[in-house]
Amino acid sequence: MITLALTGSIGMGKSTVAAMFAGAGIPTFDADAVVRRLQGPGGRLVPAIEARFPGTTRNGAVDRDALSSAVLGDRDALAALESIVHPAAHHERTRFIVEHGDAKALLFDIPLLFETGGDQAFDKVIVVSAPKEVQRERVLARPGMTEEKFARILDRQMADEEKRARADFIVDTSGSLENTRKQVDAILACIGLRAGV
């Protein structure tokens, strides 16, 4: 089994690329989706997050905006949140691997892969990238996004140039969807896989 890590900074098109790998038959673990579930209604992380960050939950779920406000720009608070979230996410990832033990390849969509030192756990790392102006346009078009919030998020993330330098494969999403798909197909061929594995 080949383990592939997919990462990239905000607004680079990572979700689109992950969907293309999933569409090619590669079981895909979405770390963000798992965390949203763990923090959602009745999620098992909700009590611990409320205990550490009072007032950041509502109706049995984490209020993501309130939690974001509580930790963005505060490295100690962010570290405390990560100490709650990361072990639970790791447990879910291990369970996913066991469930798909017969797959030829698995893809792990992990936004802060390099930032958390997680890249060593995978056979190959794929970085999704686009020019800064494309990234900026995509991110600022999101509902509720501001220049300040974008700057804070970028401050948490490793520079795109460094991610590209550390990647085994790079997918540039600045072109058409068809062009992006061709890059995904080329990666699958390079590691000895085809669509529909």
Side-chain angles (χ1 to χ4, degrees):
M1 176 192 291
I2 300 170
T3 56
L4 306 169
L6 182 74
T7 194
S9 299
I10 185 171
M12 293 301 195
K14 189 168 52 58
S15 296
T16 298
V17 173
M20 288 179 180
F21 276 98
I26 309 293
T28 301
F29 179 87
D30 182 337
D32 271 358
V34 167
V35 170
R36 281 194 297 272
R37 178 170 51 79
L38 293 171
Q39 295 179 356
R44 64 187 179 93
L45 295 185
V46 175
I49 290 172
E50 177 60 29
R52 177 60 181 82
F53 304 98
T56 60
T57 67
R58 184 172 298 135
N59 300 323
V62 170
D63 180 329
R64 291 173 67 85
D65 288 336
L67 183 60
S68 178
S69 296
V71 302
L72 267 180
D74 183 336
R75 295 194 184 279
D76 289 340
L78 185 61
L81 177 62
E82 289 173 346
S83 74
I84 296 169
V85 173
H86 287 175
H90 181 74
H91 173 78
E92 294 295 322
R93 189 170 85 189
T94 301
R95 193 165 73 175
F96 173 82
I97 293 169
V98 171
E99 286 174 1
H100 298 280
D102 58 348
K104 293 180 182 176
L106 296 177
L107 183 82
F108 297 83
D109 179 348
I110 305 176
L112 298 176
L113 178 75
F114 291 123
E115 292 84 348
T116 58
D119 51 303
Q120 299 302 314
F122 300 93
D123 296 319
K124 299 291 180 186
V125 174
I126 304 162
V127 168
V128 182
S129 183
K132 281 189 172 74
E133 60 273 14
V134 173
Q135 176 193 28
R136 181 181 187 76
E137 183 180 330
R138 288 173 179 170
V139 175
L140 291 178
R142 294 181 180 187
M145 185 58 67
T146 64
E147 293 272 5
E148 181 186 7
K149 190 173 181 182
F150 182 35
R152 282 180 170 180
I153 292 169
L154 285 181
D155 187 51
R156 271 186 72 202
Q157 298 185 340
M158 180 183 288
D160 181 53
E161 295 80 10
E162 188 172 349
K163 288 180 180 177
R164 290 170 68 103
R166 295 173 65 172
D168 294 297
F169 301 102
I170 298 167
V171 177
D172 184 332
T173 63
S174 61
S176 66
L177 280 175
E178 184 56 34
N179 181 264
T180 300
R181 192 179 308 280
K182 285 179 181 176
Q183 293 175 72
V184 168
D185 289 345
I187 292 170
L188 290 171
C190 189
I191 61 176
L193 300 172
R194 298 284 182 206
V197 292

